[in-house]
């Protein structure tokens, strides 16, 4: 420092300020990349964390989206600098997907900690990427805005559906096994259900979380549901680049937006739209980053399930007729929030610099058509309790189900257990047609510690639907499901089997009761017998190495959002 003072002692104040900026770490590095001091002096450096890759369809357009964001940043007087973030597509059948959420969060934290950016733009679209980035926003707590890549368009017609969604191919394969479709018909569905780039075209985890990032206030209004291939997607990306520079100048930080009240709004939105069960997992993990008790989040979801009706219907929540573009045309997140006004915390701050109330009061609908087949007012809902938290002797800490996707006649379901210690074992049994109407399929050791990684169990339910058992067989697990799944399923059972939870003690033939109406799931075995089984139970963890071994040791169960517990 003494050398610096000596070197600058004869400089004017203006030259000294320029010298300070030139010698400061980030600016000095940029000079090696072709920037001049005057290019960057006095301008906020804005980082763009981009999950673009050539492997994930939901992120394939983010290269173009990032360019639009950069244009906005430069236009507003900022200096855009981009770095990469990993982004695994959930089509992966391995257990790495959920653990990647924490790697994404950690990576962004490390870049921010090292380079001290003035602001942050988060670019992602898919299932674990958006929640990982939201967690990073809470952890870094600098001016931050989210920009998502948008959903793909709907696919070609299939059966009675005017547009297909991209998991219809799994159902088609199940129908092929049951002799209901030819191979050529299956291949046609497989090749036409995914017509463009973008996140999946149904209301699964990716689109639920993208829309939640808007509902919680961290994405500009309308940003959550614009299709990936629309020019609107690039326009809002550029506007986000402009806005992040304004947020830096105004000193609006992520935690000014991410509060308990905005988290409540996100939960209300998730309930009202019949969002993915995974959203409960991710909002609980986000709460942990905000230093909130995860059990408080689970209790709030439980409370809201009795208060918030379902006013949005997109596949798979109660219909197979509407896909994501239909939601966008009907008004998307702004129309939904407008219809939920009386339930929301309207005075929360959003990334626009205005409150949610002001955003809704001044929102301009470019497509003003009201479509009550997609979004309804509170006075005329599609139903109630789109998502639900269950408790009982089988799930002392909680479990999650999606009544919006469960046939009404299965809201009370009791049947004999057919147990499997992995999803792969269950798939073999389903393909061999060994599951019978009335069975309760139990898939355990699929939780954060047991898998490890809490692999998504999409295929089993889809195959059950395809072979005609979707409305007569229940499935319960300590693992999780895809946002596209429907049928009588209960996931996130906690404690998980790997912790010695009651799900580990089920025997084939035990009767299991699922009561969606009263929010209970119970194993109909007396306590004395369960105590005996517990005393005889043993478990050998899977042998894994590297990051997965670390995740297995640190991850909490689903009741904590599978958040990593660093004090262990």
């Amino acid at each position: 420092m003494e050398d610096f003072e000596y070197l600058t002692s004869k400089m004017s104040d203006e030259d000294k300020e320029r010298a300070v900026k030139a010698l400061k770490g980030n600016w000095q590095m940029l000079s090696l990349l072709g920037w001049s001091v005057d290019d960057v002096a006095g301008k906020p450096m804005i980082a763009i964390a981009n999950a673009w890759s050539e492997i994930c369809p939901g992120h394939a357009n983010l290269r173009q989206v990032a360019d639009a964001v950069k244009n906005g940043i430069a236009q507003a007087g900022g200096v855009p600098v981009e770095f990469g973030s990993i982004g695994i597509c959930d089509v992966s059948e391995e257990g790495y997907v959920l653990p990647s959420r924490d790697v994404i969060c950690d990576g962004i934290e490390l870049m921010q900690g090292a380079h001290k950016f003035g602001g942050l733009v988060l670019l992602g679209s898919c299932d674990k990427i958006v929640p990982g980035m939201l967690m990073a926003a809470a952890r870094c707590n600098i001016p931050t805005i989210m920009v998502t890549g948008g959903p793909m368009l709907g696919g070609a017609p299939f059966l009675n559906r005017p547009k297909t969604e991209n998991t219809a191919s799994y159902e088609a394969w199940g129908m092929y096994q049951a002799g209901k479709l030819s191979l050529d018909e299956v291949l046609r569905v497989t090749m036409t259900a995914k017509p463009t780039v973008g996140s999946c075209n149904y209301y699964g985890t990716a689109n639920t979380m993208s829309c939640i990032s808007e509902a919680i206030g961290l994405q500009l209004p309308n940003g959550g549901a614009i299709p990936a291939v629309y020019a609107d997607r690039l326009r809002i990306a550029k506007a986000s680049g402009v806005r992040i520079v304004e947020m830096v100048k105004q000193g609006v930080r992520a935690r000014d937006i991410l509060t308990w009240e905005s988290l409540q709004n996100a939960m209300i939105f998730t309930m009202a739209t019949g969002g993915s069960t995974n959203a409960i997992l991710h909002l609980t993990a986000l709460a942990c980053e905000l230093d909130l008790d995860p059990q408080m989040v689970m209790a709030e979801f439980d409370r809201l399930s009795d208060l918030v009706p379902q006013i949005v219907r997109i596949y798979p929540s109660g219909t197979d007729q509407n896909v994501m573009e239909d939601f966008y045309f009907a008004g998307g997140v702004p129309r939904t929030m407008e219809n939920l006004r009386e339930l929301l915390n309207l005075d929360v701050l959003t990334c626009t610099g205005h409150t949610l109330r002001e955003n809704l009061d001044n929102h301009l609908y470019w497509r003003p058509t009201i479509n009550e087949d997609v979004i309804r007012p509170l006075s005329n809902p599609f139903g109630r309790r789109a998502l639900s938290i269950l408790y009982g002797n089988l799930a002392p800490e909680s479990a999650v189900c999606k009544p919006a996707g469960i046939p009404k006649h299965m809201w009370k379901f009791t049947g004999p257990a057919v147990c499997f210690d992995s999803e792969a074992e269950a798939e073999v049994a389903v393909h061999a047609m060994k599951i019978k109407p009335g069975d309760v399929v139990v898939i355990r050791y699929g939780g954060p510690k047991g898998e490890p990684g809490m692999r998504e169990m999409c295929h089993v339910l889809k195959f059950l639907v395809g072979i005609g058992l979707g409305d007569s067989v229940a499935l319960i697990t300590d693992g999780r499901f895809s946002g596209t799944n429907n049928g009588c399923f209960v996931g996130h059972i906690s404690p998980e089997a790997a912790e010695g939870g009651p799900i580990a003690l089920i025997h084939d033939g035990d009767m299991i009761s699922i009561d969606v109406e009263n929010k209970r799931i119970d194993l109909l075995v007396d306590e004395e017998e369960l105590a005996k089984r517990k005393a005889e139970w043993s478990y050998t963890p899977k042998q894994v190495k590297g990051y997965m071994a670390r995740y297995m040791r640190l991850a909490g169960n689903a009741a904590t959002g599978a958040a990593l517990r660093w004090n262990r």
Side-chain angles (χ1 to χ4, degrees), residues 352-379:
T352 64
H354 302 290
T355 64
L356 175 60
R357 184 193 309 275
E358 292 167 333
N359 289 347
L360 295 177
D361 286 345
N362 298 301
H363 187 73
L364 175 63
Y365 293 94
W366 290 104
R367 294 171 174 80
T369 304
I370 294 175
N371 183 352
E372 293 196 5
D373 287 333
V374 182
I375 305 174
R376 287 186 177 178
L378 273 175
S379 60

Side-chain angles (χ1 to χ4, degrees), residues 441-459:
V441 175
V442 179
I443 303 178
R444 56 194 173 194
Y445 297 102
K449 291 182 178 297
E451 180 58 33
M454 207 176 184
R455 184 199 305 234
E456 187 172 86
M457 297 181 189
C458 169
H459 298 169

Side-chain angles (χ1 to χ4, degrees), residues 88 90 92-102 128 278 281-282 445-457 478-481 492 496 498 539 542 544 547-558 561-562 564:
I88 300 175
D90 253 37
S92 164
E93 295 182 1
E94 301 299 328
Y96 293 98
V97 181
L98 180 60
S100 74
R101 182 186 68 181
D102 296 275
K128 307 305 166 288
N278 285 317
L281 200 69
H282 298 319
Y445 297 102
K449 291 182 178 297
E451 180 58 33
M454 207 176 184
R455 184 199 305 234
E456 187 172 86
M457 297 181 189
D478 52 6
R480 61 188 182 87
F481 294 97
H492 305 193
E496 62 174 293
Y539 171 66
K542 288 184 179 179
V544 292
Y547 180 74
M548 296 305 288
R550 190 187 321 160
Y551 184 86
M552 180 190 287
R553 184 169 66 88
L554 295 176
N557 62 34
L564 299 192

